Amino acid sequence: QLRSNVQYSADLSKKAAANMTKKALAVRGYILKKFPELVIKTGDVVLVPLDDVDRMKVDGGNLIGVVVSTNKLNSTCQVAVKHGLLHRAYVYHAVKPMPEASNNVDLHDLRDAY
């Protein structure tokens, strides 16, 4: 009896964590849709994920770039890296903003790209 109660409690805990994650993603999606400038704005340093086919095993999984323009209508942004502007526009939820301490164009040597 005690073992089934412990298992039941663990299942409830996992379900609660999953529900909280689902709600957090929903709220983030709503904010991105209605107020994208609160999350991504021009001049922010962001991480752009690379597809597996575009990198080797020893390469990192992200590119560091700076947002040079945003399109509120499509919820997209143009990102520039050291060697130029990336061709495609990225939706806001596909890029990850750098933490406040690292969100500096000069720190990542992206001033020329910006």
Side-chain angles (χ1 to χ4, degrees):
Q1 181 68 8
L2 180 62
R3 186 175 188 153
S4 72
N5 286 343
V6 170
Q7 181 63 34
Y8 179 72
S9 177
D11 290 343
L12 283 179
S13 179
K14 287 178 185 177
K15 188 173 182 177
N19 285 337
M20 286 182 63
T21 301
K22 183 178 175 183
K23 182 64 177 176
L25 291 173
V27 169
R28 184 174 187 269
Y30 175 79
I31 290 172
L32 283 171
K33 188 174 182 181
K34 295 291 185 179
F35 311 103
E37 64 278 357
L38 293 177
V39 180
I40 301 287
K41 55 188 175 297
T42 304
D44 280 351
V45 177
V46 294
L47 293 174
V48 179
L50 291 174
D51 290 331
D52 288 338
V53 296
D54 294 333
R55 64 185 179 100
M56 302 291 284
K57 287 185 178 183
V58 294
D59 291 336
N62 299 304
L63 280 176
I64 295 179
V66 61
V67 176
V68 292
S69 68
T70 58
N71 183 340
K72 291 182 187 178
L73 183 63
N74 297 335
S75 296
T76 59
C77 60
Q78 285 289 128
V79 178
V81 294
K82 281 185 184 181
H83 300 289
L85 186 67
L86 298 178
H87 292 287
R88 75 176 254 221
Y90 292 90
V91 291
Y92 292 138
H93 65 272
V95 296
K96 181 180 177 188
M98 293 290 282
E100 193 66 35
S102 300
N103 200 341
N104 185 334
V105 176
D106 294 321
L107 179 68
H108 297 286
D109 195 26
L110 294 169
R111 178 62 64 187
D112 293 337
Y114 182 59

